Amino acid sequence: MSSGFVVLPDTAAASALIGRVPFEEPAVLSHASGRPWLVGRWRPGQVVVTTVGVVRVAIVGIRLVTAARLAELAAAVTTVSDLDAVASRMSGSCHLVASVAGAVRVQGSVSGLRRVFHTVIDGVDIAADRADVLAAMTRADIDEQSLAVRITGGFTLPPPANEQPVWRGIAALPPDHCLVWQQDRAHARRWWRPPAPEGSLADGAEAVRTALEQATGPDPCTEGRLSTDLSGGMDSTSLCFLTARHTPNLMTFRLAEAEDGNDDARFAAHAIGCLPEAEHVVVAQSQLPPLFAPVAAPDREEPYLCSRTLARVQHNARLLARRGSRRHVAGHGGDELFTVSPGYLPGLLRRHPVTALRHLRGYLAHNRWPLRPTLAALLRPDDTASWWHHQADHLTDPPPARAASLGWGMGNLRTPAWLTAAGTDLVRQALRHTAEQAAPLADDQAHHHALLRPRTSTPVYRLLARQYVHAGVDLDMPYLDDRVLEAVLAVAPHEHAGPWRYKPLLAEAMRGLVPETILGRSTKGILSEDLRVGLRRHHTTILDLFADSALAARGLIDPDALRRQLGSPQRDHHTAFALEALIGCETWLRGTSQHTTPSGRPDAAATAP
C-alpha cells in the first residue's frame, strides 16, 4: 500500500498484529503505554500530533490545524467523549484519532470524504482509513453482491449501499459515527447530528461565507504552489476568488470546451480578467485524452465508478504536478450542497402548504413532471425502508421518462441490460437487506436529502483525490468540509430551493467577492460532445475489454447483451453512464484478480508493496 493508516487499541493482543499491517517500513505512533497506536504511511504535513499527559490526539488529512492549536484543543480532553467538542471546532478535511488513558477513538468526516473501516482479527477490533488495507490483513474474499450493486447503481447509488466495502468481513463506519475502544473491543457511537434547518437565506449566506473563508484559508502544513479549478461555473469560480484573497499569484486551471453550446468559456474569461496576478492555464481539447480512454484500475480499494474521465484525471493531475502545484482546490461538492433536491417538498407541504404548492407549480413547469404521478409521490406515506423495498420490487422495470425524486432516495435504481439474472437476484437481495438496516440520515426528510446528495458522491470523490495524491498533489474540496456542510444545513431548504434561481445560497454568500456576471449565471456547462466522441473512438476497445470478462466469469454480466445494447441507437446518455460503472467494476476486478489465489483470497506476497 502506498498510503493509509491502521488504528490499534492499547492492548498486548493488538500489538501482536503490527506485523500484518501491509505497509513497507511503516511509520508508528505509540500510545502513552508505548504500544503501537497509529501505523501507516503518510506524506510530510499530512499528520499533526499532540501529546498532553496521557492524551494523544492525531489529525490526518489536509489543511490541518497547527500542532499548537491542536494542543490547545486537546488540553480540555480527559475522556474520549470530550473529542466531540474538539471535532466540532476544527475546519479542514481530516480524520481524528485519539488515545486517552487506554481508551481509543477514531472518526472520519461527516460528509463521508474521510472514511473509517473496521474488522476483527484474532479477537481484536482494528480500524483503517482504507478497506483494502484491512482486506489484505484478513485475506478477505471479494464480495460479488457489492460489485453487482455498484454495476446497477453506479455513481448515483445512495448511502448506505454505496458505502459498503467490496471485501467480505470488512465493515464501514457511518460518517456521523465514531469508533470507540475499551480494551480489544470497539463499538460505534453517533457523535454528530445536523443543525436545525431554521435559518433564513440572508443569515445562511453570511454563515456559509464565513465557513468557506475558513475552508479556503492558507494551509500551514503544506508547502508549494496553490492551484484552483476555474471552469467558469459558480462553484469553482467562487473558490478561485476566495483563495486569491491570500494567494493572488495562484495558478488557475481549466479545460477548453468541446462544443460551442457550452458557455463556460465566456464566464471563465470574465473571471480571468478579474484575477490579473494569477497564472491561467487552459488545456486544449487536443491535448486531453478522450473520455473512455482505456486505463488500468487505479485503486485496489474499490471500483472507480466514473471511469470515463479517469485517463483525463490522471493527465491533469500530472500536469499540475509538473507546474509545481502541491495543493489543488476544486469545486466538487458544490452541486450537491447548493442545488437543493425537491425531496424537501413533502415536509414543506405539511408545514407551509401555500409555499409548497407555489414551489411545486414552479417545478412542474420547469421540469415538465407529469402531474398525477408527482402528486401521488408527494402525498404517498413513505420512509427509508419502503423506498429501498420499492427499488428491489421494481428493479427490472423500464425507467420512467420523467419523475420527481420526492421519496427518501435519489431516484430509481434499474438494472442495466447486461446484468444477468443471477446478478439481478444479488442486487435485489442487497436492496432488501438495506431496507431492513437503513435509517434516515436525519429526522427531517429535507435534511435527509441534503445529506444524501454529498454522501452519494463522496465515495467517488475520495478515490478521485487519491489520483492527485499519486501525482504528488493534494486535491482540496472545501465544499465538503464539515463546517461548510453544517452552515448549509442550518438554512431552511425552501429558503434556497426552487426552480427560479440558480444556487441562490452560494450566490448570496459570494456577493461582493465574485463578479455579479458569474453570480447571476443560470446555465451549467455540459460534456455531451466529449461523451459522444469518447464513446465513438473507443467503442471497439470497450467491446474487446469484455471479450474475456472477469465479471462474466463470475456470472454477473452477459457480454452478448452488452454488445447488443452498445450497438443499438441511444436516445440519451443513460447507457453511457451505466457503462462507465461497468468498466470501473471490470477493470477493478481484473486488477484485483491478478493478486489473488484461485480461491479468490488475496495472495499474501502480492499484497505487500
Side-chain angles (χ1 to χ4, degrees):
M1 305 292 173
S2 58
S3 65
F5 63 82
V6 172
V7 181
L8 299 174
D10 191 5
T11 68
S15 298
L17 300 177
I18 192 170
R20 297 173 69 169
V21 176
F23 298 104
E24 185 178 11
E25 299 180 356
V28 180
L29 301 180
S30 300
H31 296 282
S33 66
R35 296 188 182 107
W37 165 44
L38 197 59
V39 184
R41 294 188 66 183
W42 44 78
R43 302 182 312 284
Q46 191 182 5
V47 177
V48 175
V49 185
T50 191
T51 300
V52 182
V54 295
V55 176
R56 300 197 172 188
V57 180
I59 48 176
V60 186
I62 60 174
R63 278 188 293 104
L64 307 177
V65 299
T66 63
R69 173 58 175 160
L70 186 59
E72 179 184 327
L73 293 171
V77 174
T78 58
T79 71
V80 289
S81 296
D82 297 331
L83 272 297
D84 288 6
V86 173
S88 64
R89 295 173 63 185
M90 289 197 310
S91 61
S93 178
C94 62
H95 287 88
L96 175 65
V97 194
S99 173
V100 182
V104 178
R105 169 171 167 166
V106 62
Q107 65 196 63
S109 60
V110 173
S111 70
L113 192 60
R114 303 280 171 174
R115 298 297 312 282
V116 175
F117 304 91
H118 55 103
T119 192
V120 181
I121 302 180
D122 296 341
V124 180
D125 285 312
I126 65 170
D129 67 329
R130 297 177 55 148
D132 56 335
V133 169
L134 300 180
M137 295 178 69
T138 59
R139 298 171 61 83
D141 287 332
I142 293 168
D143 188 339
E144 293 177 352
Q145 187 175 66
S146 289
L147 272 181
V149 170
R150 282 167 168 78
I151 292 170
T152 298
F155 56 83
T156 62
L157 183 69
N162 68 335
E163 296 169 346
Q164 301 309 305
V166 289
W167 301 98
R168 295 179 185 169
I170 310 301
L173 184 72
D176 53 8
H177 283 57
C178 60
L179 196 65
V180 178
W181 282 261
Q182 292 292 340
Q183 297 302 313
D184 286 323
R185 304 319 305 263
H187 68 275
R189 177 176 73 82
R190 186 171 185 178
W191 77 273
W192 181 90
R193 293 184 184 275
E198 299 172 348
S200 66
L201 178 61
D203 291 341
E206 183 176 351
V208 167
R209 179 165 179 148
T210 299
L212 283 172
E213 286 173 341
Q214 294 174 347
T216 55
D219 184 356
C221 301
T222 301
E223 297 180 355
R225 193 166 192 191
L226 177 68
S227 60
T228 67
D229 278 342
L230 178 54
S231 68
M234 195 187 298
D235 300 335
S236 65
T237 306
S238 294
L239 297 180
C240 280
F241 282 89
L242 282 164
T243 53
R245 294 172 308 135
H246 57 79
T247 310
N249 62 337
L250 62 86
M251 174 172 58
T252 74
F253 181 83
R254 67 183 304 268
L255 309 180
E257 293 71 31
E259 53 193 64
D260 295 336
N262 189 335
D263 57 354
D264 280 349
R266 179 167 64 89
F267 291 97
H270 185 80
I272 285 171
C274 298
L275 296 168
E277 296 182 56
E279 176 189 1
H280 302 288
V281 177
V282 181
V283 183
Q285 281 286 317
S286 59
Q287 297 175 295
L288 292 170
L291 297 184
F292 288 102
V295 181
D299 205 287
R300 286 282 319 280
E301 184 177 21
E302 63 178 276
Y304 187 78
L305 300 178
C306 287
S307 60
R308 76 181 189 272
T309 63
L310 183 55
R312 190 168 287 188
V313 165
Q314 293 175 343
H315 171 274
N316 295 342
R318 291 191 295 265
L319 189 155
L320 286 167
R322 288 196 300 269
R323 288 180 169 268
S325 174
R326 292 297 172 264
R327 179 162 69 99
H328 184 68
V329 179
H332 304 301
D335 285 338
E336 290 84 346
L337 288 190
F338 299 110
T339 305
V340 181
S341 165
Y344 71 92
L345 287 174
L348 185 63
L349 183 64
R350 292 190 297 271
R351 294 190 297 270
H352 303 289
V354 175
T355 302
L357 291 174
R358 183 173 66 86
H359 281 236
L360 178 62
R361 286 214 314 267
Y363 280 117
L364 288 169
H366 186 268
N367 297 332
R368 291 183 291 165
W369 290 342
L371 179 60
R372 285 188 177 181
T374 300
L375 291 176
L378 186 64
L379 300 173
R380 182 188 304 125
D382 200 5
D383 55 25
T384 50
S386 62
W387 186 86
W388 286 101
H389 276 302
H390 183 82
Q391 303 312 305
D393 294 342
H394 297 273
L395 198 54
T396 57
D397 290 0
R402 290 184 181 274
S405 298
L406 300 178
W408 288 81
M410 291 285 292
N412 295 295
L413 298 177
R414 295 292 186 265
T415 53
W418 45 77
L419 196 69
T420 62
T424 300
D425 286 342
L426 285 175
V427 176
R428 188 171 283 114
Q429 292 168 19
L431 298 186
R432 287 175 176 158
H433 177 73
T434 301
E436 302 303 324
Q437 304 294 323
L441 303 182
D443 296 333
D444 181 81
Q445 189 171 348
H447 247 164
H448 170 83
H449 269 272
L451 285 164
L452 191 70
R453 290 174 64 84
R455 281 181 54 177
T456 296
S457 300
T458 47
V460 172
Y461 290 154
R462 61 189 293 269
L463 297 186
L464 172 68
R466 212 170 284 164
Q467 295 308 298
Y468 282 78
V469 170
H470 291 333
V473 181
D474 284 326
L475 183 63
D476 189 357
M477 295 172 268
Y479 289 125
L480 296 172
D481 274 19
D482 289 352
R483 305 291 82 80
V484 176
L485 180 62
E486 287 173 343
V488 174
L489 290 173
V491 182
H494 68 274
E495 285 278 316
H496 66 115
W500 305 286
R501 290 182 63 189
Y502 182 66
K503 299 182 180 178
L505 180 56
L506 180 59
E508 293 303 319
M510 294 295 101
R511 190 76 63 195
L513 177 67
V514 176
E516 288 294 322
T517 299
I518 294 166
L519 296 182
R521 184 178 181 182
S522 60
T523 59
K524 183 174 178 62
I526 55 175
L527 299 175
S528 297
E529 183 63 19
D530 284 6
L531 203 59
R532 285 191 290 268
V533 169
L535 269 177
R536 185 169 60 247
R537 184 174 300 181
H538 295 292
H539 184 268
T540 300
T541 305
I542 292 169
L543 292 179
D544 289 345
L545 174 66
F546 292 96
D548 184 23
S549 168
L551 290 169
R554 291 178 178 256
L556 296 177
I557 69 163
D558 179 354
D560 291 334
L562 173 64
R563 292 188 195 94
R564 289 194 297 270
Q565 182 71 12
L566 295 186
S568 303
Q570 307 297 325
R571 67 177 185 178
D572 53 31
H573 296 314
H574 179 79
T575 295
F577 294 147
L579 178 63
E580 66 173 324
L582 177 68
I583 292 172
C585 291
E586 176 71 26
T587 53
W588 178 85
L589 183 57
R590 284 171 178 258
T592 302
S593 298
Q594 292 173 3
H595 302 285
T596 57
T597 64
S599 68
R601 295 183 177 275
D603 178 27
T607 56

